[in-house]
Amino acid sequence: MYIAILLIISYLLGAVPNSLIIGKLFYKKDLRNYGSGNIGTTNTFRVLGKKPGVIVLLLDMLKGFIPVLFPLIFNIELSGLIFGIVAAIGHVYPIYLKFKGGKAVATSAGAILAFHPAIFIGLALFFLFTLKISKYVSLSSILSAIVLFICSIFTQDLIFITLSFIIMVIIIFRHRSNIKRLINGTESKAKI
């Protein structure tokens, strides 16, 4: 029962639409009506600018970071990454927005940061490197998710491998339209 409550809290925390709140509160803009229409970090950067983009990135990462610490805080013998993944699912399918959310990249990144900081640092560097070369945030996100899964295999931690696979599948699935645009050559490039 205790674990179930924490899983629900993880989901509800992950479902908080930070970009939508900041956009409406400070910029009088509903991100769903601008840019890609997505409530994720990338569209926040594109529509609202660098400062709100960074704030949303950090807040969305925090949504994944905090739940991973639940087992430590509440003395539970369960992988913290499970709570982080539930938060990421909340971000993708938020109950507050009729289950239409973001793509779980930042929230998943926050979960990985809390669970395995060394792998997070490697992934962050890989993400920035591929972004610098390709100029596509979507491609960098997809490739980073794949690399995460590959890295998890080397840890020989079955739970980590399984959850990394789930993260990879979620991120690739949520980037379906981006993949089509990448293939067609119509995907928007980041201004970096």
Side-chain angles (χ1 to χ4, degrees):
M1 185 64 183
Y2 197 43
I3 291 173
I5 291 170
L6 289 175
L7 286 170
I8 291 169
I9 291 171
S10 298
Y11 168 80
L12 293 175
L13 180 63
V16 174
N18 293 311
S19 60
L20 203 61
I21 293 168
I22 288 173
K24 285 187 171 184
L25 206 58
F26 299 104
Y27 297 89
K28 309 300 180 199
K29 286 185 176 181
D30 185 330
L31 279 183
R32 295 170 294 184
N33 300 325
Y34 296 89
S36 65
N38 191 271
I39 64 161
T41 302
T42 303
N43 202 39
T44 306
F45 272 101
R46 187 181 294 125
V47 176
L48 302 182
K50 191 174 182 179
K51 185 178 177 181
V54 170
I55 292 170
V56 168
L57 171 63
L58 295 175
L59 289 174
D60 281 355
M61 285 182 68
L62 203 57
K63 294 194 305 186
F65 187 94
I66 293 172
V68 173
L69 303 180
F70 283 172
L72 289 174
I73 297 168
F74 299 101
N75 196 26
I76 300 169
E77 290 189 15
L78 192 67
S79 174
L81 195 54
I82 292 172
F83 297 97
I85 293 237
V86 171
I89 291 170
H91 179 78
V92 174
Y93 302 107
I95 191 169
Y96 315 120
L97 301 177
K98 298 179 181 177
F99 305 103
K100 295 178 181 178
K103 297 181 179 176
V105 177
T107 307
S108 296
I112 297 302
L113 173 60
F115 185 77
H116 205 307
I119 288 181
F120 169 81
I121 292 169
L123 286 174
L125 292 173
F126 176 80
F127 176 89
L128 293 172
F129 175 73
T130 54
L131 180 60
K132 185 72 176 175
I133 291 174
S134 71
K135 303 292 189 293
Y136 293 118
V137 175
S138 57
L139 181 62
S140 298
S141 300
I142 292 165
L143 292 176
S144 296
I146 294 169
V147 170
L148 167 64
F149 175 62
I150 293 170
C151 288
S152 73
I153 294 171
F154 289 100
T155 68
Q156 297 183 330
D157 180 337
L158 189 58
I159 292 174
F160 186 28
I161 293 168
T162 304
L163 297 177
S164 295
F165 178 76
I166 292 170
I167 289 173
M168 178 182 72
V169 170
I170 290 171
I171 288 176
I172 291 174
F173 179 75
R174 290 296 292 163
H175 282 85
R176 300 185 312 282
S177 59
N178 302 86
I179 292 169
K180 287 179 183 177
R181 288 194 295 271
L182 283 166
I183 293 169
N184 295 332
T186 56
E187 177 74 333
S188 300
K189 289 189 175 184
K191 295 178 182 178
I192 55 171

